[in-house]
């Protein structure tokens, strides 16, 4: 009877030992998984910090260089350079007539000086992997352009698209563009996009977006073309923000 009791006790002890070993392995596995997840989190955070750092540095470098090269010109031309790397022509003499897409003579003279300097900055080797897009944005007032479409927004989208396209066409007809090396021309064609934004981003008399200022639309100032640099960091930040929201 005592021998059976001892055997039972040994069996129970063996079971407890096995359970303890299993529990130990589970605990170790859990701790390793937690450490792995923490390491991945730290690595992900470090990557995000690097992306934001590169974003700031690239933006600042481009802004400073554009401001240095064009400082005097922008004052003369009444051009606004924003921190988001958008360039806004605000002089009424360079803006488009209502419903028209032709580039006025004064705007033409400005573009002849502006475009070579602008692309000489953009096409530098140091920015080759830092710029993902150069947007030429066409904007209209809120007066419908019925000859393009019955829908006023679509009509003005087509009108604004044509305005931005006319600027790109002007560039391509310049001797400066024709003298670029083939690889540089390929890069310009890869980066450059014409964007018709209709009357979705009209501005007030101060050049502020009316959707933000809630002030009356200044139709003359709203008929404009803007140049905007999109960096590779912009795209990466969009991706990071989407991941954070998921």
């Amino acid at each position: 009877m005592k021998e059976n009791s001892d055997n039972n006790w040994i069996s129970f002890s063996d079971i407890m030992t096995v359970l303890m070993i299993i529990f130990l392995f589970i605990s170790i596995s859990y701790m390793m998984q937690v450490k792995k997840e923490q390491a991945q989190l730290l690595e992900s955070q470090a990557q995000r910090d690097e992306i934001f750092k590169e974003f700031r540095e690239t933006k600042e470098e481009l802004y400073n260089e554009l401001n240095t090269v064009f400082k005097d010109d922008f004052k003369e031309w009444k051009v606004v350079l924003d921190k988001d790397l958008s360039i806004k022509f605000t002089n009424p003499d360079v803006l488009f007539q209502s419903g028209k897409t032709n580039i006025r003579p004064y705007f033409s003279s400005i573009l002849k000086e502006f475009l070579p300097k602008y692309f000489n900055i953009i096409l530098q080797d140091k920015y080759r992997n830092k710029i993902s897009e150069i947007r030429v944005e066409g904007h209209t007032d809120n007066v419908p352009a019925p000859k393009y479409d019955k829908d006023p927004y679509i009509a003005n989208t087509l009108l604004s698209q044509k305005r931005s396209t006319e600027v790109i066409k002007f560039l391509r007809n310049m001797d400066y563009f024709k003298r670029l090396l083939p690889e540089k021309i390929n890069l310009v064609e890869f980066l450059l996009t014409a964007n018709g934004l209709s009357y979705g981003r009209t501005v007030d008399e101060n050049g502020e977006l009316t959707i933000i200022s809630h002030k009356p639309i200044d139709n003359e100032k709203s008929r404009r073309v803007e140049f905007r640099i999109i960096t590779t960091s912009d795209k990466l930040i969009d991706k990071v923000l989407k991941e954070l929201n998921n």
Side-chain angles (χ1 to χ4, degrees):
M1 190 73 176
K2 184 178 180 182
E3 185 178 346
N4 289 338
S5 177
D6 289 341
N7 288 338
N8 290 337
W9 174 251
I10 293 171
S11 297
F12 182 73
S13 298
D14 290 343
I15 291 171
M16 289 299 295
T17 300
V18 170
L19 288 174
M20 288 180 65
I21 292 173
I22 292 173
F23 177 76
L24 181 62
F25 274 115
I26 291 173
S27 299
I28 293 172
S29 298
Y30 176 75
M31 291 173 63
M32 290 178 65
Q33 181 63 31
V34 169
K35 287 185 177 181
K36 182 179 179 181
E37 289 177 357
Q38 288 177 337
Q40 289 175 340
L41 185 62
L42 290 172
E43 183 181 356
S44 178
Q45 184 62 49
Q47 289 174 344
R48 289 171 186 170
D49 290 344
E50 186 64 28
I51 288 171
F52 282 107
K53 179 182 177 184
E54 183 183 335
F55 171 77
R56 289 192 300 269
E57 290 178 349
T58 300
K59 289 266 189 180
E60 288 174 3
E61 186 175 7
L62 276 164
Y63 177 86
N64 290 335
E65 190 158 0
L66 287 167
N67 190 50
T68 299
V69 171
F70 286 110
K71 189 174 183 179
D72 294 332
D73 291 330
F74 283 173
K75 285 182 182 178
E76 179 184 346
W77 298 338
K78 295 182 181 178
V79 168
V80 176
L81 169 64
D82 280 346
K83 291 290 186 179
D84 65 358
L85 302 181
S86 64
I87 294 174
K88 301 175 175 66
F89 291 85
T90 60
N91 189 329
D93 292 330
V94 308
L95 304 177
F96 293 88
Q97 294 176 295
S98 187
K100 303 293 184 181
T101 62
N102 57 298
I103 294 175
R104 290 178 170 182
Y106 183 55
F107 193 22
S108 173
S109 66
I110 288 176
L111 289 175
K112 287 177 183 177
E113 290 189 54
F114 168 74
L115 290 172
K117 293 180 181 178
Y118 185 65
F119 281 96
N120 281 343
I121 293 172
I122 292 167
L123 295 177
Q124 292 179 89
D125 289 339
K126 65 179 179 179
Y127 294 129
R128 189 172 185 86
N129 297 317
K130 294 184 178 181
I131 297 176
S132 64
E133 185 181 355
I134 306 299
R135 293 181 183 172
V136 182
E137 299 178 348
H139 300 264
T140 71
D141 53 29
N142 64 347
V143 179
K147 74 174 184 176
Y148 289 101
D149 197 272
K150 293 180 180 179
D151 181 326
Y153 181 81
I154 298 301
N156 282 33
T157 298
L158 296 172
L159 173 61
S160 57
Q161 183 74 29
K162 189 160 177 54
R163 284 175 177 168
S164 58
T165 302
E166 283 298 313
V167 172
I168 293 178
K169 182 179 178 181
F170 185 92
L171 168 67
R172 293 181 65 83
N173 286 329
M174 290 179 65
D175 289 337
Y176 165 79
F177 181 82
K178 294 174 182 177
R179 287 196 299 266
L180 289 175
L181 295 173
E183 62 190 53
K184 294 293 187 182
I185 290 178
N186 290 340
L187 181 56
V188 171
E189 291 174 342
F190 172 77
L191 295 174
L192 205 57
T193 62
N195 300 265
L197 300 179
S198 193
Y199 50 72
R201 300 185 184 181
T202 52
V203 297
D204 59 29
E205 63 180 356
N206 297 317
E208 299 293 331
L209 294 171
T210 55
I211 197 169
I212 296 174
S213 70
H214 304 294
K215 292 181 179 179
I217 294 172
D218 186 314
N219 281 337
E220 188 175 65
K221 289 185 178 180
S222 294
R223 299 190 297 268
R224 68 198 191 279
V225 164
E226 297 182 5
F227 292 80
R228 188 182 303 273
I229 297 173
I230 307 298
T231 66
T232 52
S233 298
D234 285 295
K235 298 287 181 73
L236 288 172
I237 285 175
D238 287 341
K239 182 180 178 181
V240 168
L241 291 175
K242 287 177 182 177
E243 289 176 353
L244 291 174
N245 290 329
N246 289 337

